[in-house]
Amino acid sequence: MDYENIATSSELPSYSPSTPSPDYSYELSSGERLLENTPHRLQMLRPSALYIRKEGATTVILNDQEEGTTIPRYGRQGIISGSLCFEQSDNIVEVTVKIKGSMDIFVSEGGAKSITVFDVSYPLWSQTSVESQPSICPAQIIFSYVLPTTFTAEDDRVLPIPPTYNSPHLYLAGPFARSSYVLQIIIKRPRHPKVAIWPKTQQFVTPSYLYNGLIQFTAFVRISIPFHYVPRTRAHRPIIPFSSFLSSIKSAPEEWYQVVAQLTSRSGGTTKDPLHSLLFVPSHRVYGLLDTIPFHVQLTGDVHALQELFLSGQEPVRVQSSSESQNINISDISLDEHIRLEVSLLRQVAVSYKGSKSWEDSIIGKGTIWPKPPHASDNCTSKAECMDHVDWEGELRCKETITVGGFDATNIHVKDFVILKILPSKSKSPIQALRITVPVRLVTDSCDVAGIGLNYPAL
Protein backbone atom coordinates (compact mmCIF):
# COMPACT_ATOMS: atom_id res chain seq x y z
CA MET A 1 0.00 0.00 0.00
CA ASP A 2 1.31 3.43 -0.97
CA TYR A 3 1.29 5.70 2.07
CA GLU A 4 2.96 8.59 0.31
CA ASN A 5 -0.30 9.82 -1.29
CA ILE A 6 -2.10 10.11 2.05
CA ALA A 7 -2.43 13.74 3.13
CA THR A 8 -1.00 14.62 6.49
CA SER A 9 -2.99 16.44 9.14
CA SER A 10 -1.06 19.63 8.42
CA GLU A 11 -2.54 19.71 4.90
CA LEU A 12 -6.21 19.64 6.08
CA PRO A 13 -8.12 22.93 5.82
CA SER A 14 -8.29 24.99 8.95
CA TYR A 15 -11.56 24.87 10.91
CA SER A 16 -13.55 28.03 11.46
CA PRO A 17 -16.72 28.09 13.58
CA SER A 18 -19.96 28.74 11.68
CA THR A 19 -21.98 31.85 12.25
CA PRO A 20 -24.83 31.47 14.76
CA SER A 21 -28.23 30.62 13.30
CA PRO A 22 -30.76 33.45 13.24
CA ASP A 23 -33.40 33.69 15.93
CA TYR A 24 -36.59 31.80 15.03
CA SER A 25 -39.86 33.68 14.76
CA TYR A 26 -43.22 32.50 13.41
CA GLU A 27 -43.87 36.01 12.13
CA LEU A 28 -42.75 36.88 8.61
CA SER A 29 -39.75 39.17 8.27
CA SER A 30 -39.29 41.75 5.56
CA GLY A 31 -38.92 40.05 2.18
CA GLU A 32 -40.29 36.67 3.39
CA ARG A 33 -43.55 35.04 2.32
CA LEU A 34 -45.51 32.09 3.68
CA LEU A 35 -45.38 29.00 1.45
CA GLU A 36 -47.31 26.53 3.60
CA ASN A 37 -48.81 26.56 7.06
CA THR A 38 -50.42 23.81 9.14
CA PRO A 39 -51.25 25.39 12.48
CA HIS A 40 -52.73 23.59 15.45
CA ARG A 41 -56.51 23.64 15.24
CA LEU A 42 -58.26 25.15 18.22
CA GLN A 43 -59.87 22.48 20.37
CA MET A 44 -63.47 22.85 21.44
CA LEU A 45 -64.09 22.78 25.14
CA ARG A 46 -65.32 19.40 26.33
CA PRO A 47 -68.62 19.48 28.24
CA SER A 48 -68.12 19.01 31.97
CA ALA A 49 -71.65 18.53 33.33
CA LEU A 50 -73.09 15.23 34.58
CA TYR A 51 -76.07 13.23 33.36
CA ILE A 52 -77.78 11.51 36.31
CA ARG A 53 -80.41 8.79 36.02
CA LYS A 54 -81.91 7.13 39.11
CA GLU A 55 -83.82 3.86 38.76
CA GLY A 56 -84.97 2.20 41.98
CA ALA A 57 -81.95 1.64 44.23
CA THR A 58 -79.44 2.28 41.41
CA THR A 59 -78.08 5.62 40.18
CA VAL A 60 -76.26 5.96 36.84
CA ILE A 61 -73.91 8.94 36.41
CA LEU A 62 -72.43 9.78 32.98
CA ASN A 63 -69.56 12.26 32.63
CA ASP A 64 -68.79 14.96 30.03
CA GLN A 65 -72.32 16.02 29.11
CA GLU A 66 -73.91 19.36 28.28
CA GLU A 67 -75.57 21.23 31.13
CA GLY A 68 -79.25 20.30 31.43
CA THR A 69 -79.18 17.63 28.72
CA THR A 70 -81.96 15.04 28.75
CA ILE A 71 -80.26 12.60 26.35
CA PRO A 72 -76.50 11.87 26.57
CA ARG A 73 -74.49 12.76 23.48
CA TYR A 74 -71.22 11.32 22.14
CA GLY A 75 -69.07 11.94 19.09
CA ARG A 76 -66.67 9.85 17.02
CA GLN A 77 -64.49 7.67 19.28
CA GLY A 78 -66.55 8.99 22.17
CA ILE A 79 -65.73 7.72 25.64
CA ILE A 80 -68.73 6.56 27.65
CA SER A 81 -67.49 7.08 31.19
CA GLY A 82 -69.25 7.36 34.50
CA SER A 83 -70.14 5.43 37.61
CA LEU A 84 -72.84 3.24 39.12
CA CYS A 85 -74.01 3.83 42.68
CA PHE A 86 -75.98 1.15 44.57
CA GLU A 87 -78.01 1.76 47.71
CA GLN A 88 -78.04 -2.00 48.35
CA SER A 89 -75.10 -3.90 46.90
CA ASP A 90 -74.72 -6.85 49.28
CA ASN A 91 -76.99 -9.15 47.24
CA ILE A 92 -75.68 -8.25 43.77
CA VAL A 93 -74.30 -11.23 41.87
CA GLU A 94 -73.17 -9.59 38.62
CA VAL A 95 -73.07 -6.17 36.91
CA THR A 96 -72.70 -5.80 33.12
CA VAL A 97 -72.61 -2.78 30.79
CA LYS A 98 -73.99 -3.29 27.29
CA ILE A 99 -73.72 -0.82 24.39
CA LYS A 100 -75.86 -1.48 21.34
CA GLY A 101 -76.44 0.25 18.02
CA SER A 102 -79.14 -0.71 15.53
CA MET A 103 -80.80 0.39 12.30
CA ASP A 104 -84.54 -0.09 11.75
CA ILE A 105 -85.73 0.08 8.15
CA PHE A 106 -89.00 -0.38 6.28
CA VAL A 107 -89.62 -0.69 2.55
CA SER A 108 -93.17 -1.30 1.36
CA GLU A 109 -92.07 -3.94 -1.18
CA GLY A 110 -89.55 -5.70 1.08
CA GLY A 111 -90.95 -5.33 4.59
CA ALA A 112 -89.26 -4.27 7.82
CA LYS A 113 -86.00 -5.31 9.43
CA SER A 114 -83.85 -4.41 12.43
CA ILE A 115 -80.11 -4.51 11.70
CA THR A 116 -77.53 -4.69 14.49
CA VAL A 117 -74.70 -2.21 13.96
CA PHE A 118 -72.78 -3.39 17.02
CA ASP A 119 -73.60 -5.12 20.29
CA VAL A 120 -70.82 -5.24 22.88
CA SER A 121 -70.95 -6.26 26.54
CA TYR A 122 -68.45 -5.39 29.29
CA PRO A 123 -68.57 -7.22 32.64
CA LEU A 124 -68.09 -4.67 35.42
CA TRP A 125 -68.20 -6.97 38.42
CA SER A 126 -69.02 -10.61 39.06
CA GLN A 127 -69.14 -12.59 42.26
CA THR A 128 -67.58 -15.61 40.56
CA SER A 129 -64.60 -13.63 39.27
CA VAL A 130 -63.45 -12.57 42.75
CA GLU A 131 -60.92 -14.97 44.24
CA SER A 132 -61.43 -14.03 47.87
CA GLN A 133 -64.70 -15.33 49.32
CA PRO A 134 -67.16 -14.15 50.46
CA SER A 135 -67.27 -11.18 48.06
CA ILE A 136 -69.61 -8.21 48.17
CA CYS A 137 -70.20 -5.85 45.27
CA PRO A 138 -68.83 -2.35 45.99
CA ALA A 139 -71.34 0.45 46.50
CA GLN A 140 -69.81 2.38 43.58
CA ILE A 141 -68.31 1.10 40.32
CA ILE A 142 -66.49 3.35 37.84
CA PHE A 143 -66.47 2.45 34.13
CA SER A 144 -65.09 3.87 30.87
CA TYR A 145 -65.46 2.45 27.35
CA VAL A 146 -64.73 3.76 23.84
CA LEU A 147 -67.46 3.60 21.20
CA PRO A 148 -66.74 1.56 18.05
CA THR A 149 -66.06 3.61 14.93
CA THR A 150 -66.89 1.16 12.11
CA PHE A 151 -69.17 -1.76 11.34
CA THR A 152 -69.41 -4.37 8.58
CA ALA A 153 -72.42 -3.81 6.35
CA GLU A 154 -74.46 -6.51 4.60
CA ASP A 155 -72.40 -6.05 1.42
CA ASP A 156 -69.20 -6.71 3.47
CA ARG A 157 -68.08 -3.10 3.26
CA VAL A 158 -66.50 -1.63 6.39
CA LEU A 159 -68.26 1.69 6.97
CA PRO A 160 -68.34 4.32 9.71
CA ILE A 161 -71.21 3.72 12.10
CA PRO A 162 -74.12 6.00 11.15
CA PRO A 163 -75.18 8.95 13.31
CA THR A 164 -78.39 8.91 15.28
CA TYR A 165 -81.08 9.53 12.69
CA ASN A 166 -84.85 9.32 12.29
CA SER A 167 -86.31 9.86 8.81
CA PRO A 168 -89.27 12.25 8.51
CA HIS A 169 -91.57 9.49 7.10
CA LEU A 170 -93.81 11.95 5.29
CA TYR A 171 -96.03 9.32 3.66
CA LEU A 172 -97.68 6.28 5.20
CA ALA A 173 -96.49 3.93 2.45
CA GLY A 174 -93.10 5.62 2.13
CA PRO A 175 -89.79 4.24 3.39
CA PHE A 176 -88.73 4.51 7.01
CA ALA A 177 -85.20 4.65 8.39
CA ARG A 178 -83.88 5.00 11.92
CA SER A 179 -80.49 4.52 13.53
CA SER A 180 -80.39 4.51 17.32
CA TYR A 181 -78.05 3.71 20.20
CA VAL A 182 -78.62 2.62 23.78
CA LEU A 183 -76.55 2.06 26.91
CA GLN A 184 -77.83 -0.73 29.16
CA ILE A 185 -76.89 -1.52 32.74
CA ILE A 186 -77.77 -5.13 33.66
CA ILE A 187 -77.76 -6.02 37.36
CA LYS A 188 -78.14 -9.64 38.46
CA ARG A 189 -79.55 -10.37 41.94
CA PRO A 190 -80.85 -13.59 43.56
CA ARG A 191 -84.57 -13.37 44.25
CA HIS A 192 -87.43 -15.62 45.31
CA PRO A 193 -90.27 -15.12 42.84
CA LYS A 194 -93.10 -15.25 45.41
CA VAL A 195 -91.77 -12.85 48.02
CA ALA A 196 -89.95 -10.45 45.73
CA ILE A 197 -90.84 -6.77 45.86
CA TRP A 198 -90.68 -5.61 42.26
CA PRO A 199 -89.11 -2.21 41.60
CA LYS A 200 -90.17 0.07 38.76
CA THR A 201 -87.13 -0.84 36.66
CA GLN A 202 -87.36 -3.43 33.90
CA GLN A 203 -86.83 -6.84 35.50
CA PHE A 204 -87.17 -10.49 34.57
CA VAL A 205 -86.59 -13.72 36.51
CA THR A 206 -84.80 -16.88 35.35
CA PRO A 207 -84.04 -20.08 37.31
CA SER A 208 -80.43 -21.14 37.87
CA TYR A 209 -79.39 -24.56 39.27
CA LEU A 210 -77.08 -24.75 42.28
CA TYR A 211 -74.56 -27.49 42.98
CA ASN A 212 -76.70 -29.00 45.75
CA GLY A 213 -79.59 -29.57 43.34
CA LEU A 214 -81.67 -26.64 44.56
CA ILE A 215 -83.08 -24.03 42.23
CA GLN A 216 -82.32 -20.36 42.83
CA PHE A 217 -84.26 -17.73 40.92
CA THR A 218 -82.18 -14.84 39.60
CA ALA A 219 -83.62 -11.41 38.81
CA PHE A 220 -82.07 -9.27 36.09
CA VAL A 221 -82.66 -5.54 36.43
CA ARG A 222 -82.10 -3.71 33.15
CA ILE A 223 -81.65 0.08 33.00
CA SER A 224 -81.75 1.39 29.41
CA ILE A 225 -80.41 4.87 28.55
CA PRO A 226 -80.74 5.95 24.89
CA PHE A 227 -77.97 8.26 23.70
CA HIS A 228 -77.26 10.29 20.58
CA TYR A 229 -74.24 9.47 18.45
CA VAL A 230 -73.20 12.60 16.53
CA PRO A 231 -69.83 12.23 14.75
CA ARG A 232 -68.46 15.60 13.73
CA THR A 233 -67.38 16.27 10.15
CA ARG A 234 -65.88 19.52 8.91
CA ALA A 235 -65.86 21.23 5.52
CA HIS A 236 -62.32 21.21 4.09
CA ARG A 237 -62.64 24.66 2.49
CA PRO A 238 -64.42 27.85 3.51
CA ILE A 239 -67.08 29.68 1.52
CA ILE A 240 -65.30 32.79 0.29
CA PRO A 241 -67.39 35.98 0.48
CA PHE A 242 -67.53 37.99 -2.74
CA SER A 243 -69.02 41.44 -3.03
CA SER A 244 -69.77 40.93 -6.73
CA PHE A 245 -70.38 37.66 -8.53
CA LEU A 246 -69.54 39.01 -12.00
CA SER A 247 -66.14 40.26 -10.82
CA SER A 248 -65.39 37.05 -8.89
CA ILE A 249 -66.21 34.76 -11.82
CA LYS A 250 -63.49 36.58 -13.78
CA SER A 251 -60.87 36.88 -11.03
CA ALA A 252 -61.46 33.52 -9.28
CA PRO A 253 -63.46 31.18 -11.56
CA GLU A 254 -62.15 28.13 -9.67
CA GLU A 255 -64.26 29.17 -6.66
CA TRP A 256 -67.55 28.49 -8.48
CA TYR A 257 -69.18 25.27 -9.68
CA GLN A 258 -71.35 25.78 -12.75
CA VAL A 259 -74.25 23.74 -14.14
CA VAL A 260 -75.78 24.63 -17.52
CA ALA A 261 -79.16 23.44 -18.82
CA GLN A 262 -81.06 24.39 -21.95
CA LEU A 263 -84.67 25.52 -21.73
CA THR A 264 -87.15 23.56 -23.84
CA SER A 265 -90.27 24.86 -25.52
CA ARG A 266 -93.78 23.68 -24.69
CA SER A 267 -93.78 21.70 -27.94
CA GLY A 268 -91.02 19.53 -26.50
CA GLY A 269 -88.11 20.78 -28.59
CA THR A 270 -85.59 23.53 -28.12
CA THR A 271 -86.58 27.11 -28.73
CA LYS A 272 -85.77 28.71 -32.07
CA ASP A 273 -83.15 30.85 -30.38
CA PRO A 274 -81.89 28.62 -27.53
CA LEU A 275 -81.94 29.95 -23.98
CA HIS A 276 -79.69 28.51 -21.29
CA SER A 277 -79.98 28.54 -17.53
CA LEU A 278 -76.78 28.66 -15.45
CA LEU A 279 -76.57 27.88 -11.74
CA PHE A 280 -73.40 28.75 -9.78
CA VAL A 281 -72.61 27.47 -6.25
CA PRO A 282 -69.32 27.45 -4.25
CA SER A 283 -67.03 24.99 -6.02
CA HIS A 284 -66.10 22.54 -3.24
CA ARG A 285 -69.79 21.63 -2.64
CA VAL A 286 -69.13 20.59 0.98
CA TYR A 287 -71.02 22.89 3.31
CA GLY A 288 -71.62 23.08 7.04
CA LEU A 289 -75.14 22.81 8.42
CA LEU A 290 -74.88 26.41 9.66
CA ASP A 291 -73.23 27.81 6.52
CA THR A 292 -74.95 30.47 4.44
CA ILE A 293 -74.52 29.18 0.88
CA PRO A 294 -74.44 31.88 -1.83
CA PHE A 295 -75.66 31.09 -5.34
CA HIS A 296 -76.13 32.86 -8.66
CA VAL A 297 -78.70 32.16 -11.39
CA GLN A 298 -78.38 33.43 -14.93
CA LEU A 299 -80.58 33.15 -18.02
CA THR A 300 -78.61 33.82 -21.16
CA GLY A 301 -79.31 33.71 -24.87
CA ASP A 302 -80.46 35.75 -27.82
CA VAL A 303 -82.01 38.98 -26.62
CA HIS A 304 -85.08 38.50 -28.82
CA ALA A 305 -85.65 35.05 -27.27
CA LEU A 306 -85.45 36.67 -23.82
CA GLN A 307 -88.01 39.23 -24.95
CA GLU A 308 -90.31 36.45 -26.12
CA LEU A 309 -89.95 34.71 -22.76
CA PHE A 310 -90.63 37.74 -20.58
CA LEU A 311 -93.12 39.54 -22.81
CA SER A 312 -95.32 36.68 -24.04
CA GLY A 313 -98.87 37.97 -24.47
CA GLN A 314 -97.74 41.62 -24.30
CA GLU A 315 -96.60 44.20 -26.79
CA PRO A 316 -92.97 43.73 -27.77
CA VAL A 317 -90.29 45.91 -26.28
CA ARG A 318 -89.41 48.95 -28.30
CA VAL A 319 -86.13 48.42 -30.10
CA GLN A 320 -83.99 51.41 -30.92
CA SER A 321 -82.49 50.81 -34.36
CA SER A 322 -79.93 52.57 -36.46
CA SER A 323 -78.33 51.83 -39.77
CA GLU A 324 -75.28 50.32 -38.03
CA SER A 325 -76.53 48.74 -34.78
CA GLN A 326 -79.42 47.82 -32.54
CA ASN A 327 -79.68 48.68 -28.86
CA ILE A 328 -82.12 46.40 -27.02
CA ASN A 329 -83.00 47.21 -23.42
CA ILE A 330 -84.86 44.77 -21.15
CA SER A 331 -84.40 46.78 -17.96
CA ASP A 332 -88.10 47.59 -17.65
CA ILE A 333 -89.27 43.96 -17.70
CA SER A 334 -91.04 42.67 -14.56
CA LEU A 335 -89.44 39.23 -14.30
CA ASP A 336 -91.60 37.77 -11.53
CA GLU A 337 -94.74 38.15 -13.64
CA HIS A 338 -93.41 35.71 -16.23
CA ILE A 339 -91.23 33.13 -14.49
CA ARG A 340 -90.75 32.04 -10.89
CA LEU A 341 -87.42 30.83 -9.50
CA GLU A 342 -87.06 28.52 -6.50
CA VAL A 343 -83.75 27.43 -4.98
CA SER A 344 -83.80 24.94 -2.12
CA LEU A 345 -81.87 22.24 -0.28
CA LEU A 346 -83.37 18.80 -0.86
CA ARG A 347 -82.60 15.73 1.24
CA GLN A 348 -83.15 12.28 -0.22
CA VAL A 349 -83.38 9.28 2.11
CA ALA A 350 -82.95 5.99 0.23
CA VAL A 351 -83.78 2.71 2.00
CA SER A 352 -82.94 -0.69 0.48
CA TYR A 353 -83.86 -4.18 1.67
CA LYS A 354 -84.20 -7.56 -0.08
CA GLY A 355 -83.40 -6.07 -3.46
CA SER A 356 -86.11 -3.41 -3.11
CA LYS A 357 -85.21 0.25 -2.90
CA SER A 358 -87.40 3.19 -2.03
CA TRP A 359 -86.64 6.82 -1.36
CA GLU A 360 -88.29 9.90 0.03
CA ASP A 361 -87.48 13.55 -0.65
CA SER A 362 -87.93 16.44 1.76
CA ILE A 363 -87.01 20.13 1.66
CA ILE A 364 -84.55 20.98 4.45
CA GLY A 365 -83.86 24.58 3.45
CA LYS A 366 -85.34 27.30 1.24
CA GLY A 367 -83.28 30.01 -0.39
CA THR A 368 -83.95 33.71 -0.58
CA ILE A 369 -83.43 35.16 -4.05
CA TRP A 370 -83.41 38.66 -5.52
CA PRO A 371 -82.87 40.02 -9.05
CA LYS A 372 -79.69 41.81 -9.96
CA PRO A 373 -79.91 45.17 -11.75
CA PRO A 374 -79.66 44.70 -15.53
CA HIS A 375 -76.28 45.40 -17.00
CA ALA A 376 -75.70 48.00 -19.66
CA SER A 377 -76.95 46.74 -23.03
CA ASP A 378 -74.35 45.93 -25.65
CA ASN A 379 -74.47 47.17 -29.20
CA CYS A 380 -75.15 44.39 -31.69
CA THR A 381 -73.76 44.44 -35.20
CA SER A 382 -76.55 42.14 -36.37
CA LYS A 383 -79.71 40.59 -34.99
CA ALA A 384 -78.14 37.12 -34.89
CA GLU A 385 -75.35 38.31 -32.60
CA CYS A 386 -77.48 40.11 -30.01
CA MET A 387 -76.85 38.18 -26.77
CA ASP A 388 -77.99 39.23 -23.33
CA HIS A 389 -78.53 37.76 -19.87
CA VAL A 390 -80.72 38.23 -16.81
CA ASP A 391 -79.30 37.54 -13.33
CA TRP A 392 -80.43 36.68 -9.82
CA GLU A 393 -78.47 36.16 -6.62
CA GLY A 394 -79.45 34.53 -3.37
CA GLU A 395 -78.54 32.68 -0.20
CA LEU A 396 -79.42 29.22 1.04
CA ARG A 397 -79.32 27.73 4.52
CA CYS A 398 -80.45 24.56 6.32
CA LYS A 399 -83.33 24.56 8.75
CA GLU A 400 -82.29 24.78 12.39
CA THR A 401 -83.92 21.41 13.08
CA ILE A 402 -81.41 19.63 10.79
CA THR A 403 -78.55 18.31 12.95
CA VAL A 404 -77.24 15.41 10.84
CA GLY A 405 -75.30 15.57 7.58
CA GLY A 406 -75.38 13.04 4.77
CA PHE A 407 -74.13 9.48 5.32
CA ASP A 408 -74.04 6.03 3.71
CA ALA A 409 -74.81 2.92 5.76
CA THR A 410 -75.70 0.61 2.81
CA ASN A 411 -79.33 0.02 3.84
CA ILE A 412 -79.75 3.73 4.64
CA HIS A 413 -78.29 6.36 2.34
CA VAL A 414 -78.88 10.06 3.07
CA LYS A 415 -77.93 12.44 0.23
CA ASP A 416 -78.36 16.19 -0.22
CA PHE A 417 -78.83 18.39 -3.29
CA VAL A 418 -79.15 22.04 -4.26
CA ILE A 419 -82.24 22.32 -6.48
CA LEU A 420 -83.08 25.13 -8.91
CA LYS A 421 -86.60 25.25 -10.35
CA ILE A 422 -87.60 27.63 -13.14
CA LEU A 423 -91.39 27.69 -13.35
CA PRO A 424 -93.38 29.64 -15.97
CA SER A 425 -95.91 31.92 -14.28
CA LYS A 426 -98.27 32.07 -17.26
CA SER A 427 -99.84 29.38 -19.41
CA LYS A 428 -98.79 31.26 -22.55
CA SER A 429 -95.11 31.07 -21.65
CA PRO A 430 -93.12 29.53 -24.51
CA ILE A 431 -90.95 27.36 -22.22
CA GLN A 432 -91.47 24.32 -20.01
CA ALA A 433 -90.55 24.10 -16.34
CA LEU A 434 -86.87 23.33 -15.71
CA ARG A 435 -85.16 21.66 -12.76
CA ILE A 436 -81.40 21.66 -12.15
CA THR A 437 -79.93 19.34 -9.49
CA VAL A 438 -76.48 19.78 -7.94
CA PRO A 439 -75.24 17.03 -5.56
CA VAL A 440 -73.67 18.49 -2.40
CA ARG A 441 -72.48 17.15 0.93
CA LEU A 442 -73.66 18.63 4.22
CA VAL A 443 -71.38 18.26 7.26
CA THR A 444 -71.83 19.18 10.90
CA ASP A 445 -69.14 21.89 11.13
CA SER A 446 -68.13 24.79 8.91
CA CYS A 447 -64.53 25.25 7.86
CA ASP A 448 -62.58 26.96 10.65
CA VAL A 449 -61.05 29.85 8.68
CA ALA A 450 -59.38 31.38 11.74
CA GLY A 451 -58.06 27.99 12.87
CA ILE A 452 -56.29 27.24 9.58
CA GLY A 453 -54.85 30.70 9.13
CA LEU A 454 -56.79 31.77 6.03
CA ASN A 455 -57.76 35.34 5.35
CA TYR A 456 -59.69 35.96 2.16
CA PRO A 457 -60.40 39.55 1.18
CA ALA A 458 -63.81 40.32 -0.26
CA LEU A 459 -63.58 40.58 -4.05
Side-chain angles (χ1 to χ4, degrees):
M1 183 175 182
D2 189 4
Y3 293 95
E4 296 179 357
N5 295 329
I6 300 178
T8 62
S9 59
S10 60
E11 297 176 352
L12 296 176
S14 59
Y15 170 78
S16 60
S18 59
T19 58
S21 58
D23 295 334
Y24 170 77
S25 174
Y26 65 91
E27 297 180 351
L28 297 178
S29 302
S30 177
E32 296 180 342
R33 62 189 180 95
L34 185 64
L35 298 179
E36 186 175 358
N37 183 29
T38 309
H40 179 69
R41 189 181 298 277
L42 297 177
Q43 297 292 332
M44 294 187 64
L45 296 177
R46 176 180 295 181
S48 58
L50 300 177
Y51 171 87
I52 301 176
R53 170 86 170 269
K54 183 175 175 59
E55 293 286 349
T58 304
T59 301
V60 183
I61 301 175
L62 299 179
N63 303 328
D64 304 328
Q65 298 300 314
E66 296 286 349
E67 187 71 34
T69 186
T70 57
I71 299 180
R73 180 187 178 106
Y74 298 97
R76 183 180 289 107
Q77 293 184 328
I79 300 176
I80 300 181
S81 63
S83 58
L84 302 177
C85 300
F86 307 104
E87 296 179 6
Q88 297 177 351
S89 61
D90 53 347
N91 62 343
I92 293 178
V93 177
E94 186 177 271
V95 181
T96 304
V97 169
K98 186 175 183 180
I99 307 174
K100 183 178 180 180
S102 60
M103 293 189 298
D104 300 307
I105 59 175
F106 169 77
V107 181
S108 57
E109 296 83 1
K113 184 180 181 181
S114 181
I115 303 170
T116 299
V117 177
F118 62 83
D119 190 349
V120 291
S121 297
Y122 304 98
L124 282 183
W125 184 87
S126 176
Q127 194 177 56
T128 58
S129 63
V130 181
E131 297 180 357
S132 59
Q133 297 292 338
S135 60
I136 298 177
C137 178
Q140 181 178 8
I141 301 178
I142 298 175
F143 61 89
S144 179
Y145 302 105
V146 180
L147 281 172
T149 57
T150 60
F151 78 106
T152 302
E154 291 185 342
D155 56 2
D156 294 330
R157 288 190 300 162
V158 178
L159 300 173
I161 62 176
T164 300
Y165 180 74
N166 200 341
S167 65
H169 197 55
L170 302 177
Y171 308 101
L172 183 61
F176 172 76
R178 177 177 60 198
S179 56
S180 58
Y181 300 88
V182 64
L183 168 69
Q184 293 182 337
I185 310 297
I186 303 174
I187 305 169
K188 181 179 178 182
R189 300 174 185 264
R191 186 177 297 277
H192 193 283
K194 293 185 178 181
V195 298
I197 300 177
W198 297 90
K200 295 181 180 180
T201 53
Q202 182 181 356
Q203 186 175 125
F204 55 94
V205 177
T206 59
S208 58
Y209 294 88
L210 304 181
Y211 291 108
N212 56 9
L214 300 178
I215 297 178
Q216 173 182 294
F217 286 88
T218 304
F220 291 86
V221 178
R222 189 187 303 270
I223 302 174
S224 297
I225 303 177
F227 65 89
H228 287 166
Y229 175 67
V230 187
R232 294 177 57 195
T233 49
R234 186 183 297 275
H236 62 282
R237 292 185 59 190
I239 296 177
I240 302 177
F242 293 109
S243 58
S244 171
F245 167 79
L246 294 179
S247 63
S248 67
I249 197 66
K250 296 178 181 179
S251 60
E254 70 279 359
E255 296 298 334
W256 293 99
Y257 179 82
Q258 171 185 322
V259 180
V260 182
Q262 184 169 313
L263 296 171
T264 58
S265 65
R266 288 193 176 273
S267 60
T270 59
T271 57
K272 180 180 178 181
D273 298 311
L275 292 176
H276 293 86
S277 173
L278 291 78
L279 172 63
F280 298 85
V281 295
S283 60
H284 54 285
R285 290 182 292 155
V286 180
Y287 314 128
L289 294 176
L290 299 181
D291 277 343
T292 299
I293 307 169
F295 61 85
H296 188 92
V297 180
Q298 185 177 92
L299 291 183
T300 182
D302 182 87
V303 70
H304 297 283
L306 289 173
Q307 283 185 318
E308 183 182 0
L309 170 63
F310 292 113
L311 297 177
S312 56
Q314 299 182 8
E315 294 183 0
V317 173
R318 290 174 295 177
V319 179
Q320 299 177 357
S321 302
S322 65
S323 59
E324 297 181 355
S325 64
Q326 291 179 322
N327 188 7
I328 302 175
N329 190 356
I330 60 173
S331 60
D332 297 329
I333 299 175
S334 179
L335 305 181
D336 294 338
E337 295 180 0
H338 299 83
I339 62 172
R340 180 164 51 93
L341 271 65
E342 295 180 359
V343 180
S344 58
L345 276 171
L346 180 140
R347 169 156 289 182
Q348 183 180 91
V349 181
V351 182
S352 58
Y353 178 51
K354 289 185 177 180
S356 299
K357 187 174 183 179
S358 182
W359 56 87
E360 186 174 71
D361 297 340
S362 60
I363 299 298
I364 62 173
K366 291 186 177 181
T368 56
I369 187 169
W370 56 88
K372 292 294 293 180
H375 66 290
S377 300
D378 297 326
N379 289 333
C380 305
T381 57
S382 67
K383 180 178 179 180
E385 297 178 0
C386 288
M387 304 297 291
D388 213 325
H389 57 85
V390 186
D391 297 81
W392 294 263
E393 287 186 356
E395 295 177 343
L396 190 59
R397 192 169 182 174
C398 277
K399 297 178 180 178
E400 295 181 355
T401 54
I402 303 300
T403 58
V404 177
F407 64 91
D408 180 11
T410 301
N411 298 94
I412 304 175
H413 196 179
V414 177
K415 298 181 289 185
D416 299 300
F417 304 88
V418 172
I419 303 295
L420 165 65
K421 291 182 180 180
I422 300 179
L423 306 171
S425 298
K426 293 187 176 182
S427 59
K428 294 182 180 180
S429 176
I431 65 167
Q432 293 183 358
L434 175 68
R435 169 169 161 158
I436 295 178
T437 302
V438 181
V440 298
R441 183 188 175 199
L442 296 180
V443 294
T444 58
D445 295 2
S446 306
C447 181
D448 185 5
V449 178
I452 61 177
L454 297 179
N455 184 17
Y456 289 102
L459 299 178

